[in-house]
Each structure stands twice: as structure tokens, then as C-alpha cells.
Amino acid sequence: MRKTWLLGFGFFGISIGWSLYNGFVPFFLDNFITSTALIGFLMTVDNYIALFLQPYIGQLSDRTQTKVGRRMPYLLVGIPLAALFYALLPFHTSLVMLIFFMICMNLSMAIFRSPTIALMPDITPEVNRTKANGIINFMGGCGAILAFSVGSYLFSIKEYLPFLAVSAIFLLVLLVVFTNIKENQDSITYTETLVPKINYKDELNPPTLYLLAAIFFWFISIQGMEALFTLYGVNELGLSKSASAFSLTFFSLSFVLSAIPSGLLGAKFGKKKVIVVGVIGLIFSFLLLNWIESVVYLRIVLFLGGLFWACVNINAYPFIVSTGSTTSYGTRTGLYYLVSSLAAIISPPTLGLFIDFFGFGILFWAAAGSLVLALACIWRVHDKEIVTEGA
């Protein structure tokens, strides 16, 4: 599993980059734009690119043949470009320049994100992929924690410091992955197999549709909360920019610590039951945040929220796969990421529009309301799940 940990370092870099981007770029936009809805819209550029460009790049990498492998050329081009535009973000001098840097950075990230993800199954035997995915998610979570903790400290010193640090981490990630993973040697030989044509009428059964709706609504809640929380902390609670961003560390830390236990609970008691507990816990956590003014209690509740979010997120993907046939795993994976990407596109501008009309105090009320809709949908999912299966 040494190669998996090394590849996990790549996901660590991606995660720290996106977490810092979501935490601090809204402050740059806030200097030019008064509409929170417009800020939220501009923060969803990466999700539009994810819908259209990343699937194409992923398929293109499948057909690429070079001396350094199929995926590595995209890392060699995309990561240095992403590092360059990431470093330039805090040095903008106008809104047009900032948006230009944002778009270029997002396009650069799109070049290597899908090929990086595809490297995991490329070099990992099927029997070890679940364990490898856990390692990669753990590394990604550590990246988010580092972004909100150390990144907040650096941001409080000089606003450009965390961006330069992440840019350097990108280049270090490329060096580590390229030096240690020899794609043409480490990749497992792929054998194409014929599978029956998928019957979409059977696959899109009521449990699947209700579950996809639930996934959409809880991502509306979480994606909007994470994108706008730093502005909420400054405008509603009077926190400094660094203290507001640092508070999200507790949400990410709790998620990382709870990821493996949440998977074990899902295997023991059933994924649906654990998801329902998680959604209910998130609803109460978000409602409670509306009456909290102390930063200490804020971070305690965010820590609890991260625990409940782990119960939901860790079990959601295995659950959507389990509601269909064994020949539809790829299709269901695509549906899962399609729905989550759509939620990420819709959520920040929608919750931002609520904030424009009602003020920042509406953020967690709206997030809790979306979770109530998710709970209503997941409650309608009737499954015949075997709860003794492995996590």
C-alpha cells in the first residue's frame, strides 16, 4: 500500500488547494462585489468545469499512450499551471484580473484532477481499492484541516502567504508522485470485459430516485454552508477573517476522525439508518448554530456537525451503488457525482440570494431546511440491505 499513500499525497495537495480556495477567495471577491449571490455564483466556476471538461479529460487520458504513462502527462502539464495561477490569485489588482486568475486556475486543476483520481484503480488491485479509497479520503481530510488551521494563521500575517505555500505544495506533490509512481510499471493490466446493456428503467427505480434527491439536498446544504461560512463568521458573528476560516477546521477534523467509525457503523447497523441519524444530527447542529455567539461554542457545534456529516457522506456512495445491479456501478458513480456537482453549482448562489434578501442570519436556517428535504427523501428509500457486510 506504499504506492497508495504516495498517491494519497496527490489528493492531499488537491484538497488543501480547494479548501484554501473556498475559504479565502470569497474575501477577495467581497472587496469588489456587494451581492453575496454573485460571489456564490463565481465560487461555483470549478463545478461548471467539472461537469463538462473533467469527464472529457478523463476519457482522453484513457486513450493516451506515452513513455511516462496515460495519466502522468496531464499531471505534468496541469499541476505547474495550477501552481502558477494559484500563486497569482492574491496579487490581483482588479475584479477582472481576479476572475481571470480564478478561471485559469480552475481550468488548470481540471486538466489533472480526473487523471489523478484514475491513477488509484490503475495501480491498485480490485480487492484493495476500498482500503485505498479510505487512505486517500483520509489524506484529503488532512489537507482540509491543514488549509483551515495553518492557512488561517498565514493569512492573518500576509494574505498572499497561504497561496504561495499551496503553490509550493502543488509542485512538491508532482515531484513525489512522478518520482515514486512509474505508471507503465505499476499499472495493473486492464482487461476489457463485456457486460449486459444497462436497463435504465430498472436502474432508476424509486429507491434510487429518492436517494439521488436526498444526496442533492444534503449537498445543497453542506456545499452552500462551506462556501459562505467564512463570510458568515465575519459579518454575522464579528470574527476576523482568519478566525472565521479556522473555525471550519473543527468541521473537517471531526469528519476525518469519524470517517472510519462511520463506515463500521454503516456495516453493522445498515447504511440507511446511519445516514438518517447523520442527517437528523446535522439538522439540529445547524439549527443550534443560529443561537450561538461564542466562538468556543461555535467550534464545538461545528465539530459535532462534522461527526454527523461523516455518518452521511461515508455511507452515501456505497448506498447508491447497493440499490442497483452489479453491472451499473459505473453508471451509479456517474449519477452520484452528477447530482453532487449540480448541488455545488446551485447551492452557493441560491443561499447567497437568501442572504442578500434576509441577511447572513438566514444561512443556517436555509441549510437546515435543505436537510429536512433530504431527510424526507431518504425516509422514502426502501431497501433490503444486508447489514452484516464489511465496511
Side-chain angles (χ1 to χ4, degrees), residues 44-76:
T44 64
V45 170
D46 61 301
N47 292 290
Y48 287 100
I49 294 173
L51 278 179
F52 301 106
L53 185 57
Q54 285 193 56
Y56 170 75
I57 293 292
Q59 292 180 0
L60 188 63
S61 71
D62 286 336
R63 302 190 300 270
T64 299
Q65 297 293 335
T66 71
K67 293 181 179 179
V68 293
R70 294 185 298 172
R71 322 295 183 186
M72 205 61 70
Y74 298 91
L75 277 70
L76 291 171

Side-chain angles (χ1 to χ4, degrees), residues 56 60 76 80 91 138 161 167 181 188-189 194 197 203 229 245 279 284 296 305 311 316 352 380:
Y56 170 75
L60 188 63
L76 291 171
F91 296 103
F138 173 79
L161 284 178
S167 182
I181 296 179
I188 300 167
T189 301
L194 297 176
K197 186 176 180 181
E203 293 298 337
F229 177 82
V279 173
F284 281 106
V296 174
C311 291
R380 298 293 302 273

Side-chain angles (χ1 to χ4, degrees), residues 34-273:
T34 57
S35 170
T36 310
L38 183 54
I39 292 175
F41 170 77
L42 291 173
M43 291 300 295
T44 64
V45 170
D46 61 301
N47 292 290
Y48 287 100
I49 294 173
L51 278 179
F52 301 106
L53 185 57
Q54 285 193 56
Y56 170 75
I57 293 292
Q59 292 180 0
L60 188 63
S61 71
D62 286 336
R63 302 190 300 270
T64 299
Q65 297 293 335
T66 71
K67 293 181 179 179
V68 293
R70 294 185 298 172
R71 322 295 183 186
M72 205 61 70
Y74 298 91
L75 277 70
L76 291 171
V77 173
I79 293 179
L81 286 174
L84 170 64
F85 289 110
Y86 207 96
L88 290 174
L89 280 171
F91 296 103
H92 63 274
T93 56
S94 67
L95 177 60
V96 173
M97 185 181 293
L98 173 59
I99 293 175
F100 175 75
F101 289 158
M102 289 171 62
I103 292 174
C104 290
M105 193 278 293
N106 278 281
L107 287 171
S108 302
M109 293 284 282
I111 292 173
F112 71 90
R113 283 180 76 186
S114 290
T116 303
I117 292 169
L119 263 178
M120 189 275 281
D122 280 351
I123 67 172
T124 308
E126 185 175 356
V127 294
N128 292 329
R129 285 175 187 168
T130 301
K131 186 186 299 183
N133 196 45
I135 292 172
I136 286 171
N137 277 284
F138 173 79
M139 294 288 285
C142 290
I145 293 170
L146 190 63
F148 291 126
S149 54
V150 178
S152 299
Y153 173 72
L154 293 176
F155 190 83
S156 67
I157 299 174
K158 292 290 184 180
E159 293 189 353
Y160 61 80
L161 284 178
F163 291 89
L164 295 182
V166 169
S167 182
I169 289 173
F170 279 175
L171 297 177
L172 180 60
V173 163
L174 178 60
L175 178 64
V176 170
V177 173
F178 181 72
T179 302
N180 290 277
I181 296 179
K182 304 302 180 183
E183 193 178 342
N184 287 332
Q185 299 174 20
D186 296 330
S187 293
I188 300 167
T189 301
Y190 173 72
T191 303
E192 185 175 358
T193 57
L194 297 176
V195 297
K197 186 176 180 181
I198 295 173
N199 188 324
Y200 286 95
K201 183 177 180 181
D202 292 339
E203 293 298 337
L204 293 175
N205 49 52
T208 299
L209 293 175
Y210 280 121
L211 183 52
L212 288 172
I215 292 168
F216 175 79
F217 285 121
W218 67 53
F219 272 113
I220 284 281
S221 176
I222 298 299
Q223 295 278 3
M225 183 277 290
E226 289 184 337
L228 300 173
F229 177 82
T230 50
L231 293 176
Y232 171 89
V234 170
N235 292 277
E236 185 69 14
L237 302 179
L239 302 177
S240 67
K241 294 177 180 179
S242 58
S244 181
F246 180 68
S247 296
L248 275 180
T249 306
F250 293 84
F251 191 82
S252 301
L253 174 63
S254 179
F255 177 84
V256 171
L257 295 177
S258 306
I260 295 176
S262 296
L264 295 174
L265 288 172
K268 183 175 178 63
F269 298 106
K271 291 182 279 290
K272 177 184 174 180
K273 291 180 181 178

Side-chain angles (χ1 to χ4, degrees), residues 346-382:
I346 294 170
S347 179
T350 301
L351 295 188
L353 192 62
F354 276 102
I355 291 172
D356 286 343
F357 279 106
F358 303 105
F360 277 93
I362 197 66
L363 176 62
F364 283 105
W365 288 105
S370 187
L371 287 168
V372 170
L373 294 175
L375 180 62
C377 293
I378 194 69
W379 204 269
R380 298 293 302 273
V381 178
H382 302 294

